[in-house]
């Protein structure tokens, strides 16, 4: 069974540009999460999808960030326009249907904004 | 404030020695408790989790953790460390608020010396 995959693994962009990160969850997992780790800080929750609906987006830092989950399958996280403080590692995770179900993480996308 | 604390940023242990990584949480009700590990170039992998019941939890790779309610702690242990255990370890909780987001500590980086 394939794990959670993320694309790209690295992205280097200039301030003001747009970047789109993609996450493919484990097949059959209704729950999809985005997290971010800024250098030297803890991993922080961004948002949670249940199928195609946003269950909790309390961690989204501002309206430059837009997350979608088309048809309840893969998800994209777009940053537009990117700022220097958006640099970090963006993780995606997925789980089945209960709070106690394990969240399986992807390898992350390292975003560098210059 | 609700939080997860990992007081040790770095720990160096000799190969074959025992290991204990500390984790404390500050929540009114005992949350669900997790330990994840991130090896270089990899995503986060779940080592073990605690929801209820036996306070000594066995995980993968020879790790175990003990939940102590009186100390609000969930320390991770391994009796004999291997060089391949060098990685970053994260304690995390899911608060019992009805949402499923993980709240992470800042992580402890483990170095294993020969």
């Amino acid at each position: 069974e394939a794990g959670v995959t993320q694309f790209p693994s690295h992205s280097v962009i200039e301030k003001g540009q747009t970047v789109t990160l993609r996450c493919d969850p484990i097949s059959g997992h209704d729950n999809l999460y985005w997290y971010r780790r800024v250098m030297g800080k803890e991993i922080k929750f961004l948002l949670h999808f249940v199928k195609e609906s946003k269950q909790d987006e309390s961690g989204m830092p501002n309206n430059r960030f837009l997350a979608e989950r088309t048809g309840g399958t893969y998800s994209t996280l777009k940053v537009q326009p990117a700022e220097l403080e958006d640099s970090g590692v963006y993780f995606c995770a997925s789980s089945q249907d209960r709070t106690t179900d394990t969240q399986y993480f992807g390898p992350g996308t390292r975003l560098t904004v210059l | 404030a609700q939080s997860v604390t990992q007081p040790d940023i770095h720990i160096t242990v000799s190969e074959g020695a025992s290991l204990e990584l500390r984790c404390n949480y500050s929540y009114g009700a005992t949350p669900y408790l997790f330990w994840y590990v991130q090896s270089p170039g990899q995503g986060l992998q779940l080592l073990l989790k605690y929801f209820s019941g036996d306070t000594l939890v066995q995980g993968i790779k020879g790790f175990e953790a003990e939940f102590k309610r009186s100390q609000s702690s969930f320390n991770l242990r391994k009796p004999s460390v291997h060089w391949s255990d060098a990685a970053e370890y994260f304690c995390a909780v899911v608060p019992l608020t009805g949402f499923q987001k993980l709240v992470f500590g800042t992580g402890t980086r483990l170095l294993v010396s020969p």
Side-chain angles (χ1 to χ4, degrees):
Chain A
E1 178 184 280
V4 177
T5 57
Q6 293 186 245
F7 182 83
S9 56
H10 294 84
S11 181
V12 181
I13 61 172
E14 295 192 349
K15 177 182 172 181
Q17 291 185 320
T18 296
V19 63
T20 299
L21 314 181
R22 173 171 171 144
C23 169
D24 286 80
I26 293 172
S27 178
H29 282 191
D30 288 340
N31 295 277
L32 187 149
Y33 311 81
W34 284 97
Y35 294 85
R36 177 176 74 169
R37 189 183 194 194
V38 172
M39 182 70 72
K41 300 290 186 68
E42 67 271 30
I43 300 168
K44 284 195 171 180
F45 168 82
L46 295 178
L47 87 159
H48 170 204
F49 283 100
V50 178
K51 298 185 180 178
E52 67 275 9
S53 300
K54 292 176 185 174
Q55 175 77 9
D56 178 2
E57 52 184 331
S58 61
M60 295 288 265
N62 52 60
N63 59 10
R64 296 186 293 104
F65 289 75
L66 175 63
E68 295 179 324
R69 189 177 183 193
T70 306
T73 55
Y74 71 91
S75 175
T76 58
L77 180 64
K78 180 189 287 188
V79 185
Q80 180 181 29
E83 299 288 345
L84 300 180
E85 63 265 25
D86 301 332
S87 295
V89 180
Y90 290 77
F91 293 101
C92 175
S94 71
S95 71
Q96 290 185 311
D97 56 2
R98 297 173 302 176
T99 300
T100 54
D101 286 326
T102 297
Q103 293 185 27
Y104 294 90
F105 280 77
T109 293
R110 181 173 295 277
L111 174 64
T112 302
V113 182
L114 302 175
Chain B
Q2 298 181 330
S3 64
V4 179
T5 302
Q6 292 181 251
D8 303 305
I9 298 174
H10 296 97
I11 282 186
T12 300
V13 174
S14 299
E15 190 168 17
S18 64
L19 170 70
E20 182 169 27
L21 302 181
R22 296 181 290 166
C23 174
N24 293 90
Y25 60 89
S26 175
Y27 285 85
T30 300
Y32 299 137
L33 301 161
F34 304 80
W35 276 98
Y36 280 84
V37 60
Q38 185 181 20
S39 300
Q42 305 294 315
L44 282 79
Q45 181 181 24
L46 180 70
L47 288 175
L48 46 80
K49 58 188 178 183
Y50 174 79
F51 298 143
S52 64
D54 192 345
T55 56
L56 187 61
V57 181
Q58 300 299 318
I60 62 170
K61 304 186 180 188
F63 285 92
E64 65 179 26
E66 185 172 14
F67 166 61
K68 292 185 178 180
R69 184 186 305 275
S70 61
Q71 299 176 20
S72 297
S73 69
F74 189 55
N75 294 349
L76 182 72
R77 301 195 296 242
K78 186 170 185 178
S80 178
V81 168
H82 187 262
W83 63 266
S84 60
D85 293 323
E88 192 159 19
Y89 292 80
F90 297 93
C91 180
V93 308
V94 171
L96 303 182
T97 58
F99 296 105
Q100 297 172 222
K101 58 186 176 187
L102 284 161
V103 178
F104 286 87
T106 50
T108 298
R109 184 168 295 281
L110 173 66
L111 304 174
V112 180
S113 60

